Amino acid sequence: MEVISLILAIIFIFLSGLHLYWALFGLKDPASVLPADTDGSLKMRPGKLGTILVALFLAFFASIYLNKVLNFIQFDGLQYISMGIGILFLLRSIGDFKYVGFFKSIKGTRFSFMDQRYYASLALAVSLLIFVLELWG
């Protein structure tokens, strides 16, 4: 189970660093990482502060799974926090039924393609890894 914890920590560290990079240096192609309508108009425009906040949450998630390996904090509630993270990523993979997730209705955009192939799939894989770790670990 330590291997699963390390994989999750690495994923979250990478995603946190990616969001921090975007906050500091901007997005090269926003239409491929932000939901957009079929006319190309972006549906959300997170600012630097919002992007940094996401990076901090992802870093916090990484610390939860690093703790499962290194055991630097003794807290019984970490399993519940971890399950909450798993549910959050499962909901992300399901989506909002319009712009994000496997069940989105707006298709044919660059984001839609990337989301179907990579983002929602990664969210589902992360949630499944978390559930395996917490329920059978």
Side-chain angles (χ1 to χ4, degrees):
M1 292 299 154
E2 287 184 355
V3 172
I4 293 176
S5 296
L6 282 174
I7 290 169
L8 287 166
I10 290 168
I11 290 170
F12 286 127
I13 289 168
F14 172 77
L15 292 175
S16 177
L18 188 61
H19 281 79
L20 189 60
Y21 176 84
W22 287 338
L24 296 175
F25 302 108
L27 290 169
K28 303 291 185 238
D29 185 16
S32 64
V33 293
L34 294 171
D37 232 334
T38 52
D39 64 359
S41 62
L42 296 177
K43 291 293 134 195
M44 61 185 291
R45 294 183 182 274
K48 288 186 185 295
L49 181 62
T51 308
I52 289 174
L53 207 60
V54 170
L56 290 175
F57 273 108
L58 291 166
F60 170 70
F61 297 166
S63 72
I64 297 290
Y65 298 103
L66 281 176
N67 184 62
K68 290 191 174 287
V69 176
L70 303 174
N71 208 14
F72 49 85
I73 295 176
Q74 295 293 326
F75 178 62
D76 292 332
L78 287 180
Q79 180 181 4
Y80 299 111
I81 294 171
S82 178
M83 287 297 289
I85 295 168
I87 291 168
L88 180 75
F89 276 85
L90 179 62
L91 292 174
R92 166 55 184 92
S93 70
I94 293 169
D96 66 353
F97 300 103
K98 188 161 186 180
Y99 295 107
V100 300
F102 286 120
F103 302 105
K104 64 185 153 294
S105 59
I106 304 294
K107 298 183 180 183
T109 64
R110 273 187 284 171
F111 175 80
S112 172
F113 174 79
M114 298 294 285
D115 186 53
Q116 192 74 22
R117 182 161 282 178
Y118 303 110
Y119 311 146
S121 300
L122 178 63
L124 181 61
V126 164
S127 67
L128 292 175
L129 285 172
I130 290 171
F131 295 147
V132 165
L133 178 68
E134 296 303 342
L135 298 175
W136 291 286

